[in-house]
Amino acid sequence: MVDDTWSSALHRLWQAASRAEEVAALADDVYAPLLATPGVHLVVGTRWDEKQVLRYMRALSAGSDAPVIVATTRSMPGAAVREPGGEPVVTRSAVDGMDDSMWPEAEFLRQAPGASVVACTFRLDQRGWAALALAVDGTADLSVVENRLTQAVDVIVACHTGILQRGREARRASDDALLAEASLQMDSSLDVEDTLRRVARIAVPAVADGALVHLLRSEGPEFVAATHVAVQQQRALEEAGRHDPWLAALLARRGEDEDTVFLSGAALEGSPFAEAGGTDGGADGGADGGANATAAGARPAGDGPHPTVVSISTLRARGRVVGSITFVYQRPEARLPDSAFLRSLATRAALAIDNALLYELRRTAVLSLQEHLLPSQLPESVQWDLSASYAVGDPMLDVGGDFYDAVPRPDGSIALLIGDVCGRGAEAAALTGLARHTLRTLLEEGNDPGTALSRLNRALRQERASRFLTAVVATLTPRPDGTALLSTCSAGHPPPLVLRSDGTVSEVLSGGLLLGVLDDVSYESHEELIAPDDTLVLFTDGLTESREAGGAFFESVLPARLSALHGSGAAHIAESLAQQAETFRDSGQDDIALLVARWTGVPPDAGLLPRDPRIEQAALR
């Protein structure tokens, strides 16, 4: 015959179990129907850890609405004989025969009517077990009681298993989300120091309470970043990262060890993470987050209630070790990350750091090469005020093809040249060097701008250069009246601008075919006069083609921006225009080169200053 009352209660129990976030929430749904079983007078539940420490006891008697709940940490070694193996164990015993060293429930069971106890012990997980004990009298059908008890235990075990599974899934989802966010954050910067700071900040407090990052240098570990949930502890952590010999020696010993190591207890003795006066004898923890967290609170990690655990992960990228990341924990053991998660985080951090390091090396090499493709100095004379600016626009840091130069000539004039090779990279750099040095040599020998460009075009065709380039050459020849004759010749390059002393801006007439396209091309010059305090501005198309979000080019605002700079020196004009274009543009990654010459109006008999007094460095970016 089916017991509809118990079946309904069991159905409700399963429903409650599917929603419960902790096993204790099932107590009411378990105890009430068991107490409704004929002959049952008392239900007592206990919860134990793996060391036979009683953590929790709950007793409810028939006719009572208020359970007695005892939270404790009572050690009871004698209870080891009751600990179940894999399957639940049901026992029957007399109340009078219970040993209090094994049965803490006895103090409640003896107060209930009846002389028998039906108990079931069952394992919840590897770290603990539990028991349900029922006080029954002689009227009870023990087979029914046992059946209901085991069915209730089945629900409790299933509930606990489900809670653990959902917790693992939530933890896994959280870890995956954190790793994804970590990758985005770390990959968003190619600056080495910023990347290292991001690595430390991402992990705290989500992964650990504190983090230290070291780079591996030839002379040993170099501290680069630290963070902690508490500001005061962060200062101590930074100090330990920089100067502590114990930590430095440990990091140096780890070398290329790929496994994450957890340290606690005695393993932290003598470290900046151990309590002053020693530790309490813990040992190294397991590699999967099961560290024996028995050390005293580490000073840099704070004075929280939980023992300090330290993990160290090697940062390895592309087959080489780039550094290490040290995490400091003061949290329950269950909240320590496992080795697989730390390895994944370390791998992502290592790649981000290595990318930043490679980017920095490449940036240094590119800027060094770019510097050698440009004049390291510009000549200075009382007759002209010269300055230049160069801003690298390519985030991938290939060598650009922009170049400029200023060449004093035998007749007392000065030749200004600027050009732009199509494309980027090593081939463009080689062509840049050829073009600049060819033009400089021809102009130093006294060739006029048109002849210099024609001969460069011939050289490019003879070399079968696969790229074309644009260039403009302008000569400034002093005149007795204080003006200068400006002779300009262009090969498909953006026309220079002249900023007059009154603030008006005019465009220099120019034309001509690109260099390196056709054989036997001739170039014509355009001449006009430059008055005292007029300024000639030569630039590459990276300036004019900087484009804002709305679609407008900097070319449309350049005359007005230049006019607003009248009365300024050449250096200020060059730097200001370059900065304004970089701020203006939302798209466009071309380099920006400017060469600016302000004519002073000093008569030619003043002559040139010696070539080697004060030299102005070209403004490289």
Side-chain angles (χ1 to χ4, degrees):
M1 179 177 180
V2 178
D3 187 340
D4 292 335
T5 302
W6 172 252
S7 296
S8 297
L10 191 61
H11 178 70
R12 290 193 300 272
L13 181 57
W14 277 111
Q15 288 182 319
S18 67
R19 299 188 301 267
E21 295 183 359
E22 57 179 16
V23 173
L26 295 179
D28 291 340
D29 294 291
V30 171
Y31 283 41
L34 287 175
L35 283 172
T37 303
V40 176
H41 297 279
L42 179 72
V43 180
V44 185
T46 53
R47 181 74 177 267
W48 305 77
D49 68 14
E50 73 276 13
K51 298 179 181 179
Q52 315 310 325
V53 175
L54 177 65
R55 294 291 182 179
Y56 170 87
M57 187 159 54
R58 186 181 197 271
L60 181 66
S61 59
S64 175
D65 294 329
V68 177
I69 299 175
V70 178
T72 181
T73 55
R74 191 193 312 176
S75 179
M76 301 186 68
V81 297
R82 296 178 58 197
E83 183 175 351
E87 297 297 326
V89 178
V90 178
T91 59
R92 300 178 186 178
S93 58
V95 174
D96 294 340
M98 286 184 170
D99 184 346
D100 288 1
S101 66
M102 299 166 49
W103 292 83
E105 306 99 313
E107 62 177 293
F108 294 103
L109 294 169
R110 291 193 184 101
Q111 300 173 15
S116 299
V117 174
V118 179
C120 181
T121 55
F122 52 96
R123 180 159 295 283
L124 292 171
D125 51 47
Q126 293 182 346
R127 297 186 300 173
W129 54 282
L132 274 177
L134 309 181
V136 299
D137 61 23
T139 66
D141 185 336
L142 295 183
S143 62
V144 172
V145 171
E146 288 184 1
N147 184 56
R148 292 186 178 186
L149 182 58
T150 55
Q151 287 179 342
V153 166
D154 287 343
V155 177
I156 294 172
V157 172
C159 176
H160 185 73
T161 301
I163 291 171
L164 292 180
Q165 179 64 28
R166 290 193 295 274
R168 285 191 291 268
E169 291 174 355
R171 178 76 172 267
R172 191 157 45 243
S174 176
D175 287 349
D176 290 344
L178 178 61
L179 290 172
E181 178 64 19
S183 295
L184 288 175
Q185 289 292 325
M186 291 184 291
D187 293 343
S188 65
S189 174
L190 286 174
D191 179 82
V192 176
E193 292 187 3
D194 183 54
T195 299
L196 293 168
R197 286 193 294 268
R198 287 169 183 258
V199 171
R201 287 199 302 266
I202 286 168
V204 176
V207 177
D209 299 283
L212 289 142
V213 182
H214 287 78
L215 280 180
L216 182 62
R217 302 295 192 187
S218 57
E219 59 274 15
E222 176 190 341
F223 168 78
V224 288
T227 189
H228 196 280
V229 291
V231 175
Q232 290 184 342
Q233 280 78 357
Q234 178 167 330
R235 296 193 187 101
L237 203 59
E238 290 174 350
E239 183 68 17
R242 288 191 179 94
H243 304 299
D244 184 74
W246 181 93
L247 183 59
L250 176 63
L251 296 179
R253 286 198 307 271
R254 285 194 48 76
E256 298 191 1
D257 190 352
E258 295 185 11
D259 293 331
T260 294
V261 62
F262 285 84
L263 304 173
S264 62
L268 295 177
E269 188 173 352
S271 77
F273 312 108
E275 182 180 4
T279 67
D280 64 0
D284 289 12
D288 290 320
N292 295 321
T294 54
R299 285 298 158 252
D303 298 319
H306 298 287
T308 296
V309 179
V310 174
S311 70
I312 302 174
S313 300
T314 300
L315 301 177
R316 175 185 290 273
R318 300 179 177 93
R320 66 188 185 94
V321 175
V322 298
S324 64
I325 183 165
T326 302
F327 291 131
V328 181
Y329 313 90
Q330 274 207 308
R331 54 186 60 190
E333 187 173 329
R335 290 181 55 204
L336 295 180
D338 59 36
S339 289
F341 172 80
L342 292 179
R343 279 196 300 271
S344 183
L345 181 62
T347 298
R348 294 165 191 245
L351 286 172
I353 292 170
D354 196 48
N355 286 340
L357 289 171
L358 293 175
Y359 178 88
E360 188 65 30
L361 288 174
R362 184 175 181 181
R363 177 180 177 81
T364 301
V366 166
L367 292 181
S368 176
L369 178 57
Q370 196 82 65
E371 183 177 350
H372 283 84
L373 293 175
L374 301 172
S376 61
Q377 58 191 34
L378 295 175
E380 185 176 278
S381 166
V382 295
Q383 293 181 300
W384 54 73
D385 172 20
L386 287 178
S387 189
S389 177
Y390 195 104
V392 176
D394 179 23
M396 298 306 295
L397 284 182
D398 280 327
V399 183
D402 292 10
F403 63 92
Y404 60 82
D405 208 343
V407 185
R409 289 155 55 87
D411 61 357
S413 65
I414 186 171
L416 307 175
L417 62 99
I418 195 167
D420 185 2
V421 176
C422 174
R424 309 183 67 84
E427 188 178 356
L431 198 55
T432 297
L434 171 65
R436 176 184 160 233
H437 290 291
T438 298
L439 286 176
R440 181 180 181 89
T441 299
L442 292 172
L443 293 168
E444 281 181 330
E445 292 175 350
N447 289 282
D448 64 85
T451 300
L453 288 175
S454 295
R455 292 182 61 178
L456 172 59
N457 182 73
R458 190 181 312 140
L460 293 174
R461 296 295 294 168
Q462 290 173 351
E463 291 291 330
R464 297 184 178 180
S466 61
R467 298 169 184 258
F468 61 82
L469 63 101
T470 67
V472 64
V473 179
T475 59
L476 291 171
T477 305
R479 291 163 51 93
D481 61 357
T483 62
L485 178 64
L486 171 62
S487 179
T488 308
C489 191
S490 176
H493 197 81
L497 297 178
V498 176
L499 172 62
R500 304 294 179 179
S501 58
D502 61 0
T504 59
V505 175
S506 61
E507 186 176 274
V508 176
L509 294 178
S510 60
L513 189 67
L514 302 173
L515 295 163
V517 177
L518 298 176
D519 297 328
D520 301 324
V521 179
S522 60
Y523 296 92
E524 297 181 357
S525 296
H526 167 78
E527 294 184 349
E528 62 180 279
L529 292 179
I530 296 293
D533 292 325
D534 287 350
T535 302
L536 177 66
V537 181
L538 294 85
F539 48 86
T540 57
D541 59 8
L543 180 77
T544 54
E545 293 179 2
S546 294
R547 190 172 185 174
E548 68 172 356
F553 290 96
F554 191 71
E555 180 180 23
S556 63
V557 299
L558 177 57
R561 299 288 182 94
L562 179 58
S563 177
L565 294 171
H566 81 278
S568 301
H572 179 68
I573 292 174
E575 288 294 333
S576 178
L577 288 178
Q579 290 175 1
Q580 289 185 54
E582 288 187 282
T583 303
F584 180 87
R585 72 179 172 191
D586 180 70
S587 63
Q589 298 178 346
D590 202 1
D591 294 356
I592 297 174
L594 290 111
L595 181 60
V596 179
R598 184 177 64 86
W599 186 251
T600 65
V602 175
D605 56 7
L608 296 176
L609 293 178
R611 290 288 301 274
D612 53 350
R614 184 168 64 89
I615 300 296
E616 178 184 359
Q617 288 286 340
L620 300 180
R621 312 258 288 194

